[in-house]
Amino acid sequence: MNIREQFPILKITANGKPLVYFDNGATTQKPQCVIDRIVKYYTEENSNIHRGTHYLSELSTQAFEHSRDTVAKFINAGKREEIVFTKGTTDSINLVADTFSTKYLAEGDEVIVTQLEHHSNIVPWQIACEKKGAVLKVLPITEKGDLMVEKLPELMTDRTRIIAVAHVSNVLGTINPVKDIVAIAHSRGIPVLVDGAQGIPHVKVDVQEFDCDFYCFSGHKMYAPMGVGVLYGKEKWLNDLPPYQGGGEMIGTVTFARTTYNDLPYKFEAGTPNVEAVLGLETAIDFMDNIGYDAIMQHENELLKYCTEELKKIDGVRIYGESEFKSGVISFLINGIHPFDVGTLLDKISGVAVRTGHHCAEPLMDFYGILGTVRASFAVYNTLEEVDVFISGLKKVVMML
Ligand code: 7TS
């Protein structure tokens, strides 16, 4: 079936115009198969997992664990035990920042992040550093929005304990050379966490090839439901780190004197998880697998190239993020026009959904000396015709302001 037709929400109108949804960096829309999977779960399978021996609990537990296998295969994890289900990228990063700092961070130690991170990959590390008296260091970027990876060796010291870096920038679209970064870090024995929130929807992820120690992502940015995410961690690290949240499922045995902890990955999965979202994630992975990353990347690159060319034809447009290695995200400003005004008018006049503001990347905005941008971000269901609607809408907005 045609990809677009699988997304019922794309048939709606917004402000009387056919919806053009270019806010995929915030969240993607869901295909019918994912919606159906959630309905099926509540219609035929609903039960808490890993508890009880009845028919439904076995059914839901099996489905839940099957999804873990599918995720492991999708990112080429070595073992299913290395896949921890979380609430999302933010939750996954907080899990690592909290447990890693508890065990490995001391006063005077250092954590390295980069200039282009989302707040989710800055603030958890800041909190950890504040607790332990550690120092947060920042790998700079070029004006075009590439990481200055060549500066990483001199930034690392004997006190550097971990490096946290985005796979793909949510503002600039830069695809960072995570494999190279990991190789440099590992040459000094430093582990690397990759924030894959904007990576996995667009770029093939092979955690063994990257050799990263942790890879974090959210389901909802890759056609799956909200409220589920994944923390991939190398078994060695996940075994080493202390538990995060305490509660049911994560224990071995409990007495008032002492509690032992469950094996991986359950040690990090306290409480009842978002079962329907975990099942929906598996369906979303099947959906993406059916299309294939090559086709997804090729299509999104075509949209990126065409939209960039057309945008550049509009007087006074400045694009932020001009890396040679870029995914389908375009941030821009037009002369002195406030991004919020552009976004609001685009929505009202043309039914085009874009995101405006700092995109939870204020240090990156500071780097460019701006308060925010307009951001169009693409998904596999977007079309060249939609880019035309967006561009002609923008031209009208410019005339009005
Ligand atoms: N990391 C990156 C690179 C992101 O882009 C986002 C969300 C997150 C982490 C957090 O993901 P969550 O699912 O835990 O919320 N980025 C955006 C965005 O660009 N617009 O809205 C949310």
Side-chain angles (χ1 to χ4, degrees):
M1 204 206 289
N2 172 310
I3 289 173
R4 251 187 109 70
E5 279 169 15
Q6 298 182 48
F7 290 79
I9 206 168
L10 298 179
K11 296 188 181 77
I12 70 160
T13 53
N15 299 314
K17 304 276 190 278
L19 171 72
V20 173
Y21 188 78
F22 282 177
D23 194 18
N24 296 288
T27 197
T28 54
Q29 300 303 344
K30 317 306 171 200
Q32 189 64 51
C33 56
V34 169
I35 299 167
D36 287 347
R37 185 66 191 93
I38 297 169
V39 173
K40 181 173 189 287
Y41 173 69
Y42 282 119
T43 315
E44 298 172 18
E45 295 159 295
N46 178 45
S47 167
N48 211 327
I49 54 160
H50 302 136
R51 289 150 218 236
T53 49
H54 60 78
Y55 172 77
L56 281 180
S57 76
E58 268 179 34
L59 205 62
S60 58
T61 302
Q62 264 177 23
F64 187 87
E65 292 303 328
H66 195 269
S67 176
R68 197 187 307 277
D69 291 329
T70 302
V71 171
K73 197 164 151 248
F74 189 57
I75 62 172
N76 195 28
K79 297 183 170 176
R80 70 190 310 279
E81 289 78 10
E82 295 177 322
I83 304 299
V84 176
F85 287 119
T86 65
K87 285 188 292 182
T89 310
T90 305
D91 196 28
S92 300
I93 297 173
N94 274 279
L95 190 164
V96 178
D98 187 272
T99 58
F100 186 92
S101 61
T102 297
K103 184 145 180 187
Y104 292 107
L105 218 55
E107 197 171 339
D109 282 346
E110 299 161 0
V111 172
I112 297 179
V113 295
T114 87
Q115 186 77 44
L116 54 65
E117 300 305 315
H118 186 280
H119 295 165
S120 291
N121 203 24
I122 300 173
V123 184
W125 300 110
Q126 264 173 338
I127 293 172
C129 286
E130 263 167 37
K131 269 192 201 155
K132 294 298 188 112
V135 182
L136 192 71
K137 293 169 83 176
V138 183
L139 183 69
I141 58 171
T142 64
E143 191 67 20
K144 282 189 163 183
D146 287 305
L147 288 178
M148 291 181 171
V149 179
E150 70 281 5
K151 290 205 185 293
L152 186 56
E154 63 197 66
L155 203 61
M156 298 188 306
T157 73
D158 292 343
R159 302 302 302 268
T160 308
R161 295 289 170 257
I162 191 163
I163 297 174
V165 58
H167 187 185
V168 172
S169 161
N170 67 319
V171 177
L172 309 173
T174 316
I175 303 170
N176 294 317
V178 286
K179 202 175 156 185
D180 298 345
I181 291 169
V182 170
I184 295 168
H186 283 183
S187 72
R188 298 277 295 263
I190 301 166
V192 176
L193 174 141
V194 180
D195 169 355
Q198 305 287 348
I200 203 157
H202 311 289
V203 185
K204 175 75 192 143
V205 172
D206 182 330
V207 289
Q208 293 193 71
E209 195 200 330
F210 293 172
D211 201 24
C212 56
D213 301 276
F214 304 98
Y215 192 95
C216 309
F217 62 94
S218 301
H220 71 95
K221 294 184 197 290
M222 49 171 286
Y223 313 103
M226 291 187 173
V228 63
V230 169
L231 166 65
Y232 158 81
K234 281 185 180 165
E235 189 180 27
K236 144 179 108 80
W237 283 112
L238 294 183
N239 270 327
D240 249 26
L241 294 177
Y244 181 44
Q245 294 179 321
E249 200 56 47
M250 53 76 71
I251 53 94
T253 60
V254 178
T255 65
F256 283 117
R258 187 168 169 269
T259 291
T260 60
Y261 302 118
N262 206 340
D263 297 332
L264 293 180
Y266 311 109
K267 177 174 128 186
F268 293 107
E269 292 183 353
T272 300
N274 191 342
V275 180
E276 83 271 20
V278 167
L279 306 191
L281 175 62
E282 178 172 38
T283 307
I285 288 173
D286 291 343
F287 166 81
M288 288 180 75
D289 268 344
N290 277 338
I291 301 170
Y293 268 105
D294 287 346
I296 292 172
M297 285 175 74
Q298 197 191 341
H299 180 68
E300 292 177 355
N301 274 337
E302 204 182 334
L303 294 170
L304 174 69
K305 191 162 167 279
Y306 179 58
C307 192
T308 304
E309 279 165 10
E310 293 302 306
L311 256 182
K312 281 184 173 164
K313 290 181 192 161
I314 300 176
D315 261 0
V317 164
R318 157 132 197 224
I319 292 174
Y320 293 86
E322 295 175 299
S323 174
E324 196 187 321
F325 309 102
K326 205 177 151 171
S327 83
V329 176
I330 309 184
S331 274
F332 64 96
L333 285 173
I334 312 176
N335 279 333
I337 308 178
H338 197 287
F340 183 78
D341 294 339
V342 177
T344 310
L345 282 172
L346 266 178
D347 177 55
K348 296 275 177 293
I349 298 172
S350 307
V352 178
V354 291
R355 172 125 180 194
T356 65
H358 55 58
H359 314 293
C360 299
E362 286 190 56
L364 181 59
M365 298 299 121
D366 291 344
F367 172 80
Y368 286 111
I370 55 178
L371 290 173
T373 70
V374 183
R375 182 188 71 181
S377 49
F378 305 122
V380 71
Y381 42 68
N382 291 127
T383 64
L384 294 170
E385 291 72 28
E386 287 183 309
V387 173
D388 287 336
V389 174
F390 166 67
I391 295 290
S392 77
L394 264 183
K395 286 179 180 160
K396 285 184 206 151
V397 170
V398 173
M399 296 230 295
M400 287 171 73
L401 292 171

